């Protein structure tokens, strides 16, 4: 038994040394072509704090950006042992994301889950690649046009009035207002009406908003999936995980199925009508149609909600900017209670406030060239 134990420990040691040396060998990528970057560490690469839960991924990217901005157009980084390029220069980002996008359309996030496990997510143009990406993008773009959004503007006004009434009720009761929750309530109401033509009841106190609960379930599962993907290259048994939860998948498929089965003359939303036409014209499955709705849910509720919440936070910290924006809105309203769709486009400073936050997100996240080299 002693001999067997010794042999086992020896084999384990040899395996560990071989694994370590192979891991370090992967860090030699880019050395021959002179691409600079922060020094990686075993076994986390350049994102130790992210993978150990000490900070957000964007925070660690920000540190790398601050270290190399102004001196390098791009740097190399490692996610565990996977070499990546982190694009720092805005002009180069535009070349990659716009002018030469055809060479960079296959993104690494498409590998975070499988079509078998994540049917809805794999139907989204955000993670599709090649011809699938072109097809899915073509299907959803027409219903998100400026003309369609202008037609939805009267409903937007009604949703904004709900928001105002909710805030008034809080203030009358001398209650504090959770601005982050308020932003998500607003985007949930908007998305619910825009996609399905139904009330999300996000401003109702009697019960929690089911749509927000499903969105939260999707986001929580997504974080687990991304972390598992990073670790899978280090420890392959982590494998692929679902990006969206089974609970949210079942909810959104059931909701769409129910609404499509109803009479189309009952005030169906433009988005739902568009999906109905796609189902007939392209013979799409319910999962493929639902994939388009969850695409808008994530981008419309989570992304837009986070953007609004952070914008309000920064405005609260900068009273001069807050007053400047308030003055612009009052001047644009010119005595009216709500701006027309065309007048919204005249709110230049509001656009700058929102775009400023968007540019930060794009700088630190979207400008990463997610291409495995």
């Amino acid at each position: 038994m002693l001999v067997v134990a010794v042999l086992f420990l020896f084999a384990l040691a040899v395996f560990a040394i071989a694994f370590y040396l192979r891991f370090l060998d992967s860090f030699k990528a880019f050395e021959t072509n002179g691409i600079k970057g922060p020094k990686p560490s075993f076994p986390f690469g350049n994102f130790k704090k992210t993978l150990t839960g000490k900070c957000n991924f964007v925070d660690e990217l920000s540190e790398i950006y601050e270290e190399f901005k102004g001196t390098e157009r791009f740097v190399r980084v490692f996610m565990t042992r996977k070499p990546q390029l982190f694009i720092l220069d805005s002009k180069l980002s535009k070349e990659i994301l716009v002018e030469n996008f055809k060479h960079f359309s296959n993104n690494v996030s498409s590998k975070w889950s499988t079509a078998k496990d994540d049917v809805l997510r794999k139907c989204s143009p955000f993670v599709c690649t090649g011809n699938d990406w072109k097809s899915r993008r073509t299907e959803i773009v027409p219903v998100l046009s400026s003309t369609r959004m202008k037609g939805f503007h009267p409903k937007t006004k009604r949703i904004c009035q709900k928001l105002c009434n909710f805030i008034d009720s809080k203030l009358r009761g001398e209650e504090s207002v959770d601005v982050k929750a308020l932003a998500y309530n607003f985007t949930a109401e908007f998305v619910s009406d825009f996609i399905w033509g139904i009330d999300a009841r996000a401003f109702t106190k009697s019960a929690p908003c089911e749509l927000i609960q499903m969105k939260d379930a999707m986001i929580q599962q997504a974080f687990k999936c991304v972390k598992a993907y990073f670790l899978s290259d280090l420890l392959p048994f982590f494998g692929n995980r679902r990006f969206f939860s089974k609970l949210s998948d079942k909810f959104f498929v059931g909701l769409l199925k129910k609404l499509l089965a109803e009479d189309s003359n009952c005030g169906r939303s433009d988005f739902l009508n568009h999906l109905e036409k796609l189902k007939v014209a392209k013979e799409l499955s319910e999962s493929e149609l639902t994939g388009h709705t969850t695409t808008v849910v994530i981008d419309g509720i989570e992304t837009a909600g986070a953007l609004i919440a952070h914008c309000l936070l920064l405005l609260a910290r900068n009273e001069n900017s807050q007053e400047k924006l308030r003055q612009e809105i009052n001047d644009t309203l010119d005595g009216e209670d709500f701006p027309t769709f065309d007048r919204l486009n005249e709110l230049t400073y509001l656009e700058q406030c929102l775009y400023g936050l968007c540019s930060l997100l794009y700088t630190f996240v979207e400008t990463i060239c997610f291409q495995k080299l």
Side-chain angles (χ1 to χ4, degrees), residues 112 225 228-229 231-233 235-241:
W112 289 351
C225 177
Y229 175 78
L231 293 174
S232 66
D233 205 56
L235 302 170
F237 60 79
F238 272 92
N240 290 331
R241 291 192 180 187

Side-chain angles (χ1 to χ4, degrees), residues 59-72:
D59 291 333
E60 215 156 7
L61 282 174
S62 177
E63 293 175 6
I64 298 172
Y65 175 80
E66 291 296 331
E67 181 181 353
F68 291 95
K69 72 174 183 179
T71 59
E72 303 295 330

Side-chain angles (χ1 to χ4, degrees), residues 11-25:
L12 188 62
V14 171
F15 173 79
I17 293 171
F19 177 79
Y20 177 73
L21 293 175
R22 181 178 176 82
F23 202 100
L24 292 184
D25 187 61

Side-chain angles (χ1 to χ4, degrees), residues 201 204-208:
R201 302 183 64 80
T204 303
K205 298 180 181 179
S206 59

Side-chain angles (χ1 to χ4, degrees), residues 312-329 349 353:
L312 292 174
L313 173 63
L314 294 179
L315 286 172
R317 290 176 177 175
N318 298 273
E319 292 186 18
N320 291 336
S321 298
Q322 182 183 151
E323 184 56 36
K324 182 178 179 180
L325 177 58
R326 180 182 177 85
Q327 187 61 50
E328 180 190 65
I329 293 173
Y349 191 64
C353 291

Side-chain angles (χ1 to χ4, degrees), residues 212-236:
I212 293 180
Q213 288 181 322
M214 292 301 108
K215 183 272 299 180
D216 288 342
M218 294 168 77
I219 296 299
Q220 290 166 9
Q221 179 62 29
F223 284 146
K224 294 178 183 178
C225 177
V226 173
K227 192 169 185 177
Y229 175 78
F230 285 163
L231 293 174
S232 66
D233 205 56
L234 176 64
L235 302 170

Side-chain angles (χ1 to χ4, degrees), residues 140-150:
I140 197 172
V141 164
V143 77
L144 300 176
S145 66
S146 178
T147 301
R148 293 293 184 102
M149 298 308 296
K150 186 174 183 178

